[in-house]
Amino acid sequence: MKYDDNNIFAKILRGEIPCKKIYEDKYVLSFHDVNPQKKVHALVIPKGKYANLDDFNQNASDEEIVGLIKGITTVAKKLNISVENGDGYRTLANIAENGGQEVPHLHFHLFGGEKIGKMVS
Ligand code: DGP
């Protein structure tokens, strides 16, 4: 699977396109979704070039995998939607065609700030 360097999140990572940044560390970048579906709608992406979750799990280092998973909770805490610091949230990753993935750089959505409702519509 070839990673597309011209996808929009690759451009955000390179600083070529602006984003409303929430959090950044060695492993992840998090920013608000441009088209929020809920009161809080954030994205958490790995800094490495991974097209989707399967690509990531097959090719990323254990350190990168831990960094991304932990990054989700770090961002939830910052946004006051975590279990410890809020009322909870939903995270999901759309994967490839049947998953409805539009941007071919792995990303987790975080939805919160209100009841999220049905899991799948
Ligand atoms: P998905 O369908 O899972 O690939 O979701 C892609 C999400 O990315 C979608 O909710 C809208 C968001 N998005 C697309 N382009 C941009 C952008 O340029 N900036 C930001 N912040 N979000 C974007």
Side-chain angles (χ1 to χ4, degrees):
M1 180 187 332
K2 185 142 168 32
Y3 177 84
D4 172 13
D5 272 310
N6 285 319
N7 80 73
I8 203 92
F9 293 168
K11 290 180 181 175
I12 286 175
L13 278 167
R14 290 195 297 266
E16 295 167 10
I17 287 180
C19 68
K20 283 167 69 181
K21 193 195 288 189
I22 299 163
Y23 175 76
E24 180 172 15
D25 64 21
K26 186 174 165 191
Y27 302 106
V28 301
L29 176 66
S30 175
F31 48 90
H32 291 281
D33 195 289
V34 77
N35 181 23
Q37 305 295 311
K38 294 289 172 189
K39 272 190 189 158
V40 175
H41 184 175
L43 300 169
V44 180
I45 72 174
K47 287 203 164 163
K49 298 178 178 185
Y50 302 105
N52 56 50
L53 186 64
D54 289 355
D55 179 22
F56 184 66
N57 282 331
Q58 281 159 31
N59 297 304
S61 66
D62 289 355
E63 212 182 329
E64 290 174 290
I65 293 171
V66 171
L68 176 61
I69 292 296
K70 284 184 179 276
I72 291 171
T73 292
T74 302
V75 170
K77 281 186 182 169
K78 277 189 93 68
L79 292 170
N80 298 320
I81 60 172
S82 72
V83 172
E84 189 179 284
N85 189 15
D87 295 322
Y89 60 101
R90 179 171 299 155
T91 185
L92 70 83
N94 296 320
I95 298 161
E97 193 179 341
N98 276 7
Q101 183 176 4
E102 288 168 10
V103 179
H105 180 110
L106 173 61
H107 49 284
F108 279 86
H109 296 258
L110 274 67
F111 301 102
E114 60 183 314
K115 292 258 192 243
I116 303 308
K118 270 177 68 172
M119 191 161 75
V120 178
S121 59

